[in-house]
Amino acid sequence: MNNQTLDSKVCRNLQLPLAIMVVFLHSFGLPSDVDIAGIDYTSLIGLDFYNLIRVICSRLLSNCAVPAFFIISGYYFFYDINSLGNNHKSYFIGKWRKRLYSLLIPYLVWNTIYILYTFFIRISGVIIKGKSLSSIYDWISEYGNFFSLYWNCTSWSATIPNIFGSYEGFTSPLLFPMWFIRDLIVVVLIAPLLYFILKKYPLATVFSLVICYTLSINFNVPGLSVISITFFAVGASIAIHRKSLIQILSMPAIKISAYCMSVISLIVSIVIFEEGLLYQTVYKIFCLFGTICLFNILASLLAHNKYCDYKLTKFSGASFFIFAMHIFVLAIIVPVLNFAYFFLLNGNISTIGGGKKLLAFVSTLSNVTGYFVIPTLTVILCIGTYILLKRLLPDSIFRILNGGR
């Protein structure tokens, strides 16, 4: 298997697992605050085991998905940059035209669907509960203006300051997972600038960006995040200099370092979970090396198991659809499953901080089972909807919903 084929197979096979990781990332469950320091590792019973599992899966491992997506995006944006010789203008215009259909239009459509979905819920509140129509205007006003619903209506900051004492800021459109597509659109627009910088100073540029990412030094500009530029630049620099993505990431020094550092940083991240600047730095180190491990693990699987290739690519075309739709599905199945657990397993409802209701399951097994059932069922329903819409909708409309795929 040549390097180009291996790159293509690994990236194609990663799409579905990465989409599933994003679903787990947004399926942390309640309570949202976890006291890792209070876990008794000698017994791991009750909520201790449940909390440990969901911290590892949803707060640590799943966070490697976004960097991996950016690396793949950067690599394939530039992988044929030399095909037109020095005609870079035509190359970038061609790439931007393709991204118009694979990024911008799907981004606008999915955000519009979610805005209408939220608007419908608000209207239902007016009709059913007799709320004032002004509540809808107030809903838009609290986000600033209508445009912000598509760009940066939601904002939050890291709870831990970086080495300069400032807090890393984040924003998202109303459909918050779409911050990834928004930031990808921005980094694609500045791709010519990145190209000329990475062409001359690849190592220095990537190293500087990785340091900024690791130390949580962000731009705090909506749409321009250090995570997007850093990992897009990693993939881009490899492609610009005509190297194989997997060949570079699987170099012995990089591969061995990634495996060792990811294990060490994962363990340390669990032990000091959300405790100060050290955690923030170690966590970013884990995401960096853990992402490299993803590519190496899958490359090894493909090298020894052809059956794996078929299984992982069968629904890889649904990865964008899962990414875009899973929030809609989670909003429905979480309360439904909570209701079912309460009546079928005799759970009880208790109140936690902020007045939120938490369903207390009857055993550790039911807690852990519920944690894995929700994202698994979400993925299954998303794939089922994907298959159904692919059969029912005209191809042109379906391709818009599926990111031009």
Side-chain angles (χ1 to χ4, degrees):
M1 188 185 301
N2 60 44
N3 291 329
Q4 189 174 8
T5 301
L6 184 59
D7 287 345
S8 176
K9 281 197 168 187
V10 169
C11 293
R12 188 173 66 250
N13 277 273
L14 265 179
Q15 290 178 15
L16 181 59
L18 292 179
I20 294 173
M21 289 169 71
V22 170
V23 177
F24 270 90
L25 182 64
H26 298 142
S27 305
F28 188 65
L30 292 173
S32 56
D33 298 324
V34 176
D35 181 18
I36 287 292
I39 288 181
D40 182 4
Y41 291 98
T42 60
S43 59
L44 285 179
I45 59 174
L47 285 178
D48 285 349
F49 183 70
Y50 165 65
N51 286 335
L52 182 62
I53 288 293
R54 64 198 187 111
V55 161
I56 292 174
C57 293
S58 292
R59 286 292 183 265
L60 296 172
L61 295 180
S62 294
N63 274 293
C64 295
V66 170
F69 271 130
F70 278 124
I71 289 175
I72 293 172
S73 299
Y75 180 73
Y76 278 105
F77 189 90
F78 288 103
Y79 86 104
D80 56 348
I81 183 69
N82 301 297
S83 61
L84 297 179
N86 292 321
N87 192 359
H88 296 133
K89 181 179 179 180
S90 297
Y91 180 83
F92 286 115
I93 290 175
K95 287 291 184 178
W96 284 333
R97 185 179 293 115
K98 290 180 180 178
R99 297 313 186 269
L100 173 68
Y101 297 100
S102 64
L103 293 178
L104 181 59
I105 293 178
Y107 175 82
L108 294 174
V109 168
W110 276 105
N111 274 294
T112 299
I113 291 173
Y114 193 71
I115 290 170
L116 292 175
Y117 165 78
T118 309
F119 182 77
F120 174 78
I121 292 176
R122 296 277 174 170
I123 286 290
S124 299
V126 171
I127 297 173
I128 298 172
K129 297 182 179 181
K131 292 183 178 180
S132 171
L133 280 172
S134 62
S135 63
I136 298 176
Y137 174 77
D138 293 338
W139 166 64
I140 297 176
S141 298
E142 70 177 278
Y143 292 124
N145 54 64
F146 187 74
F147 170 77
S148 67
L149 297 176
Y150 285 90
W151 195 255
N152 64 334
C153 67
T154 304
S155 62
W156 65 97
S157 298
T159 57
I160 303 167
N162 59 27
I163 57 174
F164 299 109
S166 61
Y167 290 85
E168 192 175 13
F170 305 92
T171 63
S172 74
L174 190 63
L175 183 56
F176 67 88
M178 282 290 163
W179 74 264
F180 166 79
I181 303 298
R182 179 201 63 186
D183 287 20
L184 185 56
I185 291 171
V186 172
V187 80
V188 160
L189 289 175
I190 63 172
L193 176 62
L194 283 175
Y195 171 74
F196 291 109
I197 295 174
L198 291 170
K199 184 73 174 177
K200 291 187 175 182
Y201 314 105
L203 293 178
T205 303
V206 171
F207 180 77
S208 299
L209 288 170
V210 167
I211 292 298
C212 289
Y213 166 75
T214 304
L215 297 179
S216 301
I217 302 172
N218 208 346
F219 304 108
N220 289 344
V221 176
L224 191 64
S225 60
V226 70
I227 185 174
S228 62
I229 295 179
T230 299
F231 291 99
F232 187 90
V234 170
S237 62
I238 294 173
I240 289 170
H241 293 274
R242 304 185 185 186
K243 303 295 182 181
S244 159
L245 180 64
I246 303 304
Q247 187 181 32
I248 294 297
L249 297 182
S250 63
M251 291 174 60
I254 295 177
K255 185 176 182 179
I256 295 172
S257 298
Y259 283 134
C260 293
M261 290 299 297
S262 60
V263 171
I264 294 171
S265 56
L266 175 61
I267 294 172
V268 175
S269 295
I270 294 171
V271 173
I272 63 171
F273 183 66
E274 294 186 342
E275 291 184 11
L277 179 61
L278 178 60
Y279 164 76
Q280 198 82 301
T281 304
V282 174
Y283 155 74
K284 295 288 183 68
I285 291 173
F286 166 73
C287 289
L288 173 64
F289 287 106
T291 301
I292 296 173
C293 287
L294 283 177
F295 288 95
N296 280 293
I297 290 170
L298 195 51
S300 298
L301 287 174
L302 289 171
H304 297 93
N305 191 345
K306 294 182 180 179
Y307 183 72
C308 176
D309 178 40
Y310 168 75
K311 284 295 184 182
L312 290 179
T313 57
K314 188 175 182 181
F315 295 111
S316 61
S319 58
F320 183 92
F321 191 84
I322 294 170
F323 169 80
M325 187 184 175
H326 74 276
I327 293 300
F328 294 87
V329 179
L330 283 173
I332 296 172
I333 68 171
V334 169
V336 169
L337 287 181
N338 275 352
F339 181 84
Y341 264 114
F342 178 71
F343 283 99
L344 296 179
L345 296 180
N346 298 316
N348 58 80
I349 302 248
S350 57
T351 303
I352 59 174
K356 294 181 179 178
K357 299 295 184 180
L358 169 64
L359 181 62
F361 300 143
V362 296
S363 68
T364 301
L365 178 61
S366 56
N367 276 296
V368 175
T369 301
Y371 168 75
F372 283 105
V373 163
I374 289 174
T376 302
L377 186 57
T378 298
V379 172
I380 292 172
L381 290 174
C382 285
I383 291 177
T385 307
Y386 165 85
I387 294 172
L388 183 64
L389 293 180
K390 189 174 184 179
R391 292 178 179 176
L392 296 178
L393 293 178
D395 186 63
S396 57
I397 296 177
F398 179 77
R399 286 174 65 85
I400 290 175
L401 293 176
N402 201 38
R405 293 156 182 83

